[in-house]
């Protein structure tokens, strides 16, 4: 019995003599992370202080829209569950048949954002109806290449092959316009 007690005491002594683990809740001076000082902004960016609630910026944007000095616009449109960032002249491959006949011109009305070199208009989640107009032409309606899906189970004489071809529609973006003033 005394030998067992000595062994238990020696094990307990080892447990108490080891260094305690450091608590993660109280950071040590070695674990404090410092961040580098902020870098200066590039030349083409600047910090805008809004003292008037952004009315001056809205005025500048509306002047650019009325004078048609927006430059080349980009847009993010929502088509069949996917978002596409487009500019005029781009081609979009939509992995569905949208139902428009070949060569027809369509208007993409689900516009998430529109922007130019100097500004970007973001919707929450969509821009108001009629604020932006994205026109496209249906160039091609066809089937994708054949996709092969195979299921195989060894030693069971089980082998399934499936061949699928999905429809797609190819659109060319003709024009992106901002039609109304921004409120």
């Amino acid at each position: 019995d005394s030998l067992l007690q000595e062994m238990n005491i020696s094990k307990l002594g080892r447990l108490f003599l080891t260094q305690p683990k450091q608590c993660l809740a109280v950071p040590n001076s070695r674990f404090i992370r410092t961040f580098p000082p902020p870098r200066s902004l590039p030349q083409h960016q600047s910090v805008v202080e809004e003292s008037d609630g952004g009315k001056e910026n809205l005025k500048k944007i509306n002047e650019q829209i009325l004078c048609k000095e927006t430059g080349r616009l980009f847009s993010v449109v929502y088509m069949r569950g996917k978002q596409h960032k487009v500019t005029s002249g781009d081609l979009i491959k939509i992995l569905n048949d949208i139902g428009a006949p070949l060569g027809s011109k369509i208007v993409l009305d689900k516009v998430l954002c529109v922007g130019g070199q100097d500004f970007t208009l973001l919707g929450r989640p969509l821009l108001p109806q009629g604020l932006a107009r994205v026109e496209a032409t249906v160039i091609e309606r066809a089937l994708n290449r054949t996709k092969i899906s195979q299921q195989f189970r060894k030693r069971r004489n089980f082998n399934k092959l499936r061949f699928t071809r999905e429809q797609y529609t190819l659109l060319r973006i003709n024009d992106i316009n901002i039609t109304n003033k921004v409120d």
Side-chain angles (χ1 to χ4, degrees):
D1 287 337
S2 63
L3 184 61
L4 287 174
Q5 287 177 352
E6 286 178 21
M7 288 176 60
N8 286 338
I9 290 172
S10 66
K11 285 183 184 176
L12 287 174
R14 281 192 207 134
L15 289 176
F16 288 120
L17 293 175
T18 58
Q19 293 180 348
K21 293 182 182 177
Q22 293 189 0
C23 181
L24 296 176
V26 181
N28 215 349
S29 62
R30 295 183 314 188
F31 298 109
I32 294 176
R33 186 172 167 194
T34 58
F35 295 98
R39 295 181 292 175
S40 60
L41 291 174
Q43 291 180 355
H44 64 278
Q45 292 181 352
S46 63
V47 176
V48 178
E49 300 289 333
E50 290 190 8
S51 59
D52 60 349
K55 292 180 182 176
E56 185 178 330
N57 292 336
L58 271 177
K59 185 178 175 184
K60 288 179 184 177
I61 292 171
N62 284 331
E63 285 176 8
Q64 284 186 3
I65 291 170
L66 290 176
C67 298
K68 301 199 183 235
E69 296 174 354
T70 55
R72 185 173 180 180
L73 294 174
F74 74 91
S75 175
V76 177
V77 294
Y78 183 81
M79 287 285 299
R80 301 289 178 161
K82 299 203 184 291
Q83 297 177 9
H84 303 276
K85 181 184 177 207
V86 295
T87 59
S88 57
D90 284 354
L91 293 174
I92 307 174
K93 184 177 182 180
I94 298 171
L95 296 177
N96 280 322
D97 183 19
I98 61 172
L102 192 65
S104 65
K105 292 190 176 189
I106 60 173
V107 176
L108 308 177
D109 55 351
K110 290 188 178 180
V111 181
L112 299 169
C113 82
V114 172
Q117 183 177 0
D118 298 332
F119 65 92
T120 301
L121 304 175
L122 296 173
R124 295 181 184 173
L126 297 173
L127 287 174
Q129 191 74 25
L131 180 64
R133 182 178 173 89
V134 180
E135 295 179 5
T137 304
V138 178
I139 293 179
E140 184 177 333
R141 294 175 62 193
L143 296 172
N144 274 341
R145 65 181 183 84
T146 305
K147 294 181 182 177
I148 301 171
S149 59
Q150 179 182 18
Q151 291 180 342
F152 179 78
R153 294 190 183 129
K154 60 184 178 182
R155 293 186 294 273
R156 291 189 186 169
N157 197 17
F158 183 86
N159 191 9
K160 279 188 184 178
L161 279 176
R162 289 196 180 100
F163 303 96
T164 57
R165 295 185 74 188
E166 297 174 352
Q167 292 183 336
Y168 73 92
T169 305
L170 193 66
L171 300 177
R172 177 178 299 279
I173 303 298
N174 296 334
D175 195 19
I176 299 173
N177 286 326
I178 299 175
T179 55
N180 296 332
K181 289 187 348 181
V182 181
D183 296 331

